[in-house]
Amino acid sequence: MAPFFSIPEMSLLRSEDMNLVQLIIPVESAHGTISYLGELGLLQFEDLNLDKSPFQRTYANQVKRCIEMVRKLRYLWEQLRKAGLSAARSPPEIDIDLDELEIKLGELEAELRELDGNLEKLKRTHSELTEYLLVLSKASTFFEAARNGATSYQRESSVSSMTREGSMDSPLLLEQEMQTDPSKQIKLGFIAGLIAKTKAASFERILFRATRGNLFYKQLPLDEPVTDPATGVKVEKLVFVCFYSGERARTKITKICEAFGANRYSFPEEHGKRWQLKTEVASRVTEIQSTIDASILERDTVLSAVSYQLEQWTTLKEKAIYHTLNMLSFDVTKKCLVGEAWCPVAAKVKVQDALRRAASDSNSQVSTIFQVLHSEELPPTYFKVNKFTEAFQQIVDAYGVPRYKEINPGVFTIVTFPFLFAVMFGDWGHGICILLATLWLVYNEKKFGTQKLGDIMDMTFGGRYVLLLMAIFSIYTGFIYNEFFSVPFHLFGDSAYRCRTPSCSDATTVGLIKYREEPYPFGVDPVWHGSRSELPFLNSLKMKMSIILGVIQMMLGIILSYFNATFFRSSLDVWFQFVPQILFLGSLFGYLSVLIILKWVTGSQADLYHVMIYMFLSPTSDIGDNRLFKGQERVQIILLLISFVAVPWMLLPKPLILRKQHLEKLQGRGYGVLRSSDADALDIDLDHEHEHEEFEFSEAFVHQMIHTIEFVLGAVSNTASYLRLWALSLAHAELSAVFYERVLLLSWSYHNPIILLVGFIVFLFATIGVLLVMETLSAFLHALRLHWVEFQNKFYQGDGYQFSPFAFSSLEDID
């Protein structure tokens, strides 16, 4: 069937032409061939070994080896990052032997792990000795103070002739020396160490309770944090010394220290031994630090040598190559691999050139055979997108990937999506804010494109061009609504209305008067803002505009269904789907849109609600004052009859005609040319079974009935759904007015700079948080719903699958 009219073809309107191709690759050149095809990235291979598990496939061992090498490479990248080094760029090597690479990676991993293990041990020993040195330095002050106190106490006791029993002020170390009776002497012990500052209070309290107060506890904070030997993290710690008496107390204190993670160190009582031990520990710390520096230098030397080759070791590519080879099957001779893949028709020349180069580089005596197969399978969908159209295509694909050769809604979404968003977000002040933020993203796209951003930032950056058009359209609709942060401006000329008094004090009560015939040149007259008629006027304007925009977009969807039907040569869909649908929608809501425009043009006061309701309830009654043109009653009756006829037109003919066509095909299959054998007849029968699918009239009728009911009811509900354009636009304007009048202007009226500053800050955060973030997200989601449900369900199946070629460029970075 020839189409009534046609639209030009473009790469984004319908998917690229695809062919199922067969590759017969010699085994000796298979690896190189798949490598070249991966660099090209234009073939989507089909898995011909679905009946085999991953462990039963030919190249399973190579895949496992590659996975292990990927792990080792990730370890090397991790060591590079820990060492603060970066991979040095070097000229790429063409051939890297997998066996040599596997051996080299194993040796490097073993060497680095050994260096790492030794370095960790050295660092732990260094941290322990550093803590030991601090304990020797800080805890010595406790003993020196105790000894000085004991000396002064003895001097004072000899002068004052104190009793042998001592007093409350006598030093603890002296009490033991003053006991003359050997049987009453008590040997004091002590434990010294370090504990984290955050645990010190609890540690002291638990010690006191465990020993029932029979201990002497002293602590001293360190000047700066130290590295904990167990965790390797810098922690603020305290040096403590705990004196106790008895073996039971020592056992309790030791267990408490272990529970709190306190590190204990031996501490000699004699001053000479302490000084000697301190000297030895300090010398040992210096030696270990030198060893650590030498180990780090050796590790960095190894990593620096590795960094020149990491970019060349493409183990991920090797893994992808062997994974793809596992999707191919052997021929009968076991000398060739047979593969099937989907290929864009326009890419055949590039693929054949890559196959020739692969055969030449591998010195294969036989080149790869490339041939096109005939297939009834639905090909994948492939669109050539760029950085501008990619985000709009993703909006469509999120609902469903277009069927092969189906009209792509992404072409129209580029314009309609930001425009419908702007209808709900019409404010040129807010649009400028979004535009500036988006231009910043676009200006820095090279910088951000190479960085790993967060989830929200990554989503925002990916949709930067969608936001750009949303901002531009918002500025346009903002000029139409004449709103700049809810403030109107006389940008395009003088108003056609004025107030009754110079002060405009009665504008909100009595209204405005018209003093000249010429209307405001562009957009809404700014004098309506703040007047008595503002809300009714804007309500009427935006509601009617929403209906018109909705009907236009739904009509566009139905028209696109015509182009789908003509492309797939489905005359039934043209005559029994497109035609009745366009008549039904046009006779009802198309007629309503015409009445709205006539009312605007003529300035009539007709009640359109009354016209549409009584068009159904009493079509023959007199319209009276609601008449907009001559002969309106007869036109309405004709349109009503057309809408009633359109429903059975959609419902009945298509399933009946399909049934008739199916019966004719069955009759044609009853007769045929005699074949020489039963095998030939069997082949013919099998071919017919593939050509003629099973047909169920009841299923076809029920499907068509559901489709008809869905369209008829959807015509009403979808039109009403477009009223969200009016509702969100009005809500956005009212919220903006509230923030401006009740926050900014109210704070200004106090003539206080502090109140004004607070009010401006509240206004700023409310504008950014509510209007520029939440309202943007809300309008975005509503525009998304209008496209997915109200627009795309008129023509869009969305049951295709994406073309996912085997390409090295799609592999994730190993680091």
Side-chain angles (χ1 to χ4, degrees):
M1 175 184 174
F4 299 140
F5 52 94
S6 61
I7 55 178
E9 290 292 329
M10 60 181 73
S11 61
L12 198 62
L13 185 63
R14 297 190 189 275
S15 61
E16 295 285 324
D17 293 329
M18 306 293 291
N19 275 340
L20 183 64
V21 298
Q22 185 182 59
L23 302 174
I24 303 177
I25 311 170
V27 174
E28 62 271 12
S29 64
H31 183 278
T33 301
I34 298 300
S35 177
Y36 272 97
L37 294 177
E39 295 288 349
L40 188 62
L42 288 173
L43 288 182
Q44 177 179 320
F45 285 91
E46 297 284 296
D47 193 353
L48 303 181
N49 298 313
L50 291 174
D51 56 333
K52 296 181 180 179
S53 69
F55 304 102
Q56 295 174 333
R57 305 200 180 198
T58 308
Y59 297 94
N61 291 330
Q62 286 85 343
V63 172
K64 288 190 288 186
R65 289 170 60 193
C66 288
I67 292 174
E68 181 63 20
M69 284 189 283
V70 167
R71 184 194 62 77
K72 294 175 182 178
L73 278 173
R74 286 202 174 99
Y75 173 74
L76 294 179
W77 280 105
E78 183 182 352
Q79 294 301 311
L80 274 176
R81 281 194 295 266
K82 285 174 62 177
L85 302 175
S86 58
R89 299 284 178 178
S90 60
E93 296 180 0
I94 297 176
D95 293 324
I96 300 175
D97 188 78
L98 195 63
D99 296 329
E100 293 180 2
L101 180 59
E102 185 177 20
I103 295 171
K104 190 167 186 178
L105 287 176
E107 293 174 352
L108 282 172
E109 184 191 25
E111 183 180 1
L112 285 173
R113 287 194 181 278
E114 184 179 0
L115 285 173
D116 236 11
N118 295 335
L119 190 59
E120 289 298 325
K121 291 178 182 178
L122 288 171
K123 286 182 177 180
R124 189 180 303 111
T125 305
H126 182 269
S127 300
E128 291 175 351
L129 291 175
T130 301
E131 286 191 349
Y132 196 9
L133 189 61
L134 290 171
V135 169
L136 291 173
S137 301
K138 297 293 184 180
S140 296
T141 58
F142 299 146
F143 286 84
E144 295 298 332
R147 186 171 299 279
N148 294 335
T151 304
S152 61
Y153 181 80
Q154 288 178 345
R155 190 181 303 111
E156 292 174 2
S157 63
S158 61
V159 175
S160 58
S161 301
M162 292 182 62
T163 62
R164 303 286 295 184
E165 296 178 357
S167 68
M168 293 295 291
D169 298 330
S170 60
L172 183 62
L173 292 177
L174 188 60
E175 292 296 328
Q176 183 180 351
E177 300 174 1
M178 293 178 63
Q179 295 291 339
T180 55
D181 188 358
S183 62
K184 294 183 179 180
Q185 289 183 359
I186 301 175
K187 181 65 177 177
L188 291 178
F190 63 90
I191 293 177
L194 285 92
I195 188 169
K197 190 176 182 180
T198 54
K199 301 178 181 178
S202 301
F203 178 66
E204 183 179 359
R205 187 164 55 250
I206 295 297
L207 283 176
F208 182 82
R209 291 177 179 174
T211 59
R212 299 183 180 180
N214 296 320
L215 83 161
F216 183 73
Y217 180 84
K218 293 290 287 183
Q219 65 183 22
L220 187 67
L222 298 178
D223 298 331
E224 56 186 24
V226 294
T227 304
D228 188 77
T231 61
V233 180
K234 285 190 173 295
V235 183
E236 292 186 357
K237 290 192 174 185
L238 301 172
V239 175
F240 70 89
V241 177
C242 179
F243 296 92
Y244 61 88
S245 64
E247 185 65 22
R248 291 185 61 188
R250 187 190 68 81
T251 304
K252 290 181 180 179
I253 294 172
T254 301
K255 290 182 178 180
I256 293 171
C257 289
E258 293 175 354
F260 277 84
N263 298 328
R264 296 172 287 114
Y265 297 96
S266 60
F267 191 85
E269 297 184 22
E270 298 180 6
H271 176 73
K273 290 183 178 181
R274 286 201 303 270
W275 182 85
Q276 182 181 359
L277 185 59
K278 184 177 178 181
T279 305
E280 293 175 358
V281 171
S283 175
R284 181 67 174 154
V285 167
T286 305
E287 293 175 1
I288 290 179
Q289 184 61 50
S290 301
T291 309
I292 289 174
D293 294 338
S295 299
I296 292 176
L297 181 61
E298 183 181 359
R299 184 197 64 183
D300 291 349
T301 303
V302 174
L303 289 174
S304 297
V306 171
S307 66
Y308 287 95
Q309 301 173 347
L310 277 182
E311 292 292 334
Q312 304 171 8
W313 293 343
T314 55
T315 313
L316 278 179
K317 292 183 180 180
E318 292 293 325
K319 176 187 173 185
I321 290 171
Y322 285 114
H323 179 72
T324 304
L325 287 171
N326 277 334
M327 300 170 70
L328 311 183
S329 62
F330 279 97
D331 67 341
V332 179
T333 63
K334 301 293 183 181
K335 295 181 180 180
C336 293
L337 286 170
V338 180
E340 294 180 1
W342 290 104
C343 172
V345 174
K348 284 183 182 179
V349 176
K350 294 181 179 179
V351 173
Q352 290 173 338
D353 181 62
L355 294 176
R356 282 193 295 268
R357 287 188 285 113
S360 174
D361 292 344
S362 60
N363 298 322
S364 176
Q365 297 179 354
V366 181
S367 60
T368 300
I369 299 175
F370 178 86
Q371 58 185 359
V372 178
L373 300 178
H374 175 72
S375 175
E376 296 295 333
E377 185 182 353
L378 186 68
T381 302
Y382 173 50
F383 296 107
K384 293 180 180 179
V385 295
N386 52 37
K387 63 182 180 181
F388 178 78
T389 58
E390 182 180 7
F392 293 98
Q393 189 61 47
Q394 287 178 354
I395 290 176
V396 175
D397 292 345
Y399 176 81
V401 178
R403 181 184 290 185
Y404 179 67
K405 287 300 179 179
E406 182 180 31
I407 284 183
N408 179 22
V411 178
F412 308 94
T413 303
I414 295 174
V415 176
T416 58
F417 185 86
F419 177 72
L420 291 185
F421 168 86
V423 172
M424 296 178 277
F425 195 80
D427 190 302
W428 61 279
H430 298 153
I432 289 175
C433 294
I434 298 178
L435 180 63
L436 293 175
T438 309
L439 289 176
W440 176 73
L441 291 175
V442 173
Y443 180 76
N444 295 286
E445 64 180 9
K446 291 184 179 179
K447 173 185 175 183
F448 293 142
T450 58
Q451 296 178 356
K452 291 184 178 180
L453 308 174
D455 292 338
I456 296 178
M457 186 62 185
D458 186 63
M459 181 177 60
T460 305
F461 176 73
R464 60 193 180 279
Y465 289 105
V466 179
L467 290 172
L468 180 64
L469 289 188
M470 286 162 52
I472 293 173
F473 277 94
S474 296
I475 295 173
Y476 169 72
T477 54
F479 282 131
I480 292 179
Y481 295 157
N482 205 336
E483 290 187 1
F484 178 84
F485 295 99
S486 80
V487 180
F489 285 90
H490 292 267
L491 297 176
F492 303 103
D494 296 328
S495 172
Y497 295 84
R498 62 184 178 186
C499 300
R500 300 174 185 271
T501 59
S503 62
C504 279
S505 58
D506 59 348
T508 57
T509 56
V510 180
L512 305 171
I513 57 174
K514 189 174 184 179
Y515 71 96
R516 65 186 178 91
E517 293 298 327
E518 295 80 8
Y520 191 69
F522 183 81
V524 176
D525 198 322
V527 77
W528 290 105
H529 182 77
S531 68
R532 177 187 179 187
S533 306
E534 177 190 12
L535 194 57
F537 171 74
L538 292 179
N539 262 334
S540 176
L541 172 68
K542 294 181 178 181
M543 181 171 60
K544 292 180 174 64
M545 182 181 66
S546 300
I547 293 175
I548 293 175
L549 292 176
V551 171
I552 290 174
Q553 190 175 33
M554 289 189 292
M555 285 285 190
L556 174 63
I558 297 175
I559 292 172
L560 293 179
S561 71
Y562 162 77
F563 291 108
N564 273 336
T566 54
F567 182 85
F568 293 111
R569 294 181 176 86
S570 176
S571 58
L572 289 179
D573 288 337
V574 173
W575 291 108
F576 305 109
Q577 183 169 310
F578 163 71
V579 174
Q581 285 183 359
I582 201 76
L583 291 177
F584 183 85
L585 188 64
S587 62
L588 296 180
F589 298 103
Y591 174 63
L592 175 61
S593 301
V594 172
L595 292 182
I596 291 173
I597 296 174
L598 284 176
K599 183 177 179 180
W600 283 346
V601 172
T602 60
S604 172
Q605 299 297 318
D607 185 1
L608 299 185
Y609 296 106
H610 183 276
V611 172
M612 294 304 296
I613 290 174
Y614 280 90
M615 177 179 173
F616 288 91
L617 297 182
S618 181
T620 58
S621 63
D622 185 25
I623 298 178
D625 296 334
N626 294 320
R627 182 178 290 105
L628 288 167
F629 59 91
K630 187 177 180 181
Q632 184 174 349
E633 293 88 345
R634 290 191 296 273
V635 171
Q636 290 183 174
I637 293 174
I638 294 173
L639 293 176
L640 191 61
L641 291 175
I642 291 174
S643 64
F644 285 153
V645 170
V647 176
W649 192 348
M650 275 187 285
L651 176 62
L652 298 176
K654 185 176 178 179
L656 293 174
I657 294 175
L658 288 174
R659 182 175 180 273
K660 180 182 177 183
Q661 292 176 350
H662 178 68
L663 294 176
E664 290 175 354
K665 290 177 182 178
L666 290 179
Q667 291 176 357
R669 289 173 59 189
Y671 303 94
V673 180
L674 291 176
R675 298 294 170 179
S676 59
S677 66
D678 294 336
D680 293 336
L682 181 60
D683 291 339
I684 296 298
D685 291 339
L686 291 175
D687 292 339
H688 279 296
E689 287 182 7
H690 288 292
E691 290 176 4
H692 306 294
E693 297 180 357
E694 185 178 355
F695 176 79
E696 287 288 343
F697 174 74
S698 58
E699 182 179 348
F701 183 79
V702 170
H703 175 77
Q704 189 65 22
M705 182 174 63
I706 293 174
H707 182 76
T708 303
I709 295 173
E710 182 182 7
F711 178 81
V712 173
L713 297 180
V716 180
S717 64
N718 292 348
T719 306
S721 184
Y722 278 93
L723 293 176
R724 68 185 68 239
L725 299 174
W726 154 58
L728 266 75
S729 173
L730 195 63
H732 183 84
E734 292 302 315
L735 276 175
S736 182
V738 167
F739 291 148
Y740 175 72
E741 295 175 1
R742 300 301 177 187
V743 177
L744 192 61
L745 291 185
L746 185 63
S747 62
W748 182 271
S749 64
Y750 283 95
H751 303 289
N752 188 317
I754 297 177
I755 296 178
L756 179 61
L757 178 63
V758 172
F760 178 76
I761 292 174
V762 172
F763 173 77
L764 179 65
F765 280 94
T767 300
I768 295 174
V770 177
L771 297 177
L772 296 182
V773 177
M774 296 178 62
E775 281 285 306
T776 300
L777 182 60
S778 175
F780 180 91
L781 294 176
H782 282 283
L784 199 64
R785 182 246 155 77
L786 290 176
H787 280 77
W788 282 357
V789 179
E790 278 71 28
F791 174 55
Q792 292 179 186
N793 71 348
K794 302 293 185 298
F795 68 98
Y796 185 58
Q797 298 293 330
D799 55 356
Y801 63 100
Q802 196 75 43
F803 177 61
S804 302
F806 167 62
F808 293 149
S809 58
S810 62
L811 299 177
E812 297 181 356
D813 292 336
I814 197 169
D815 58 337

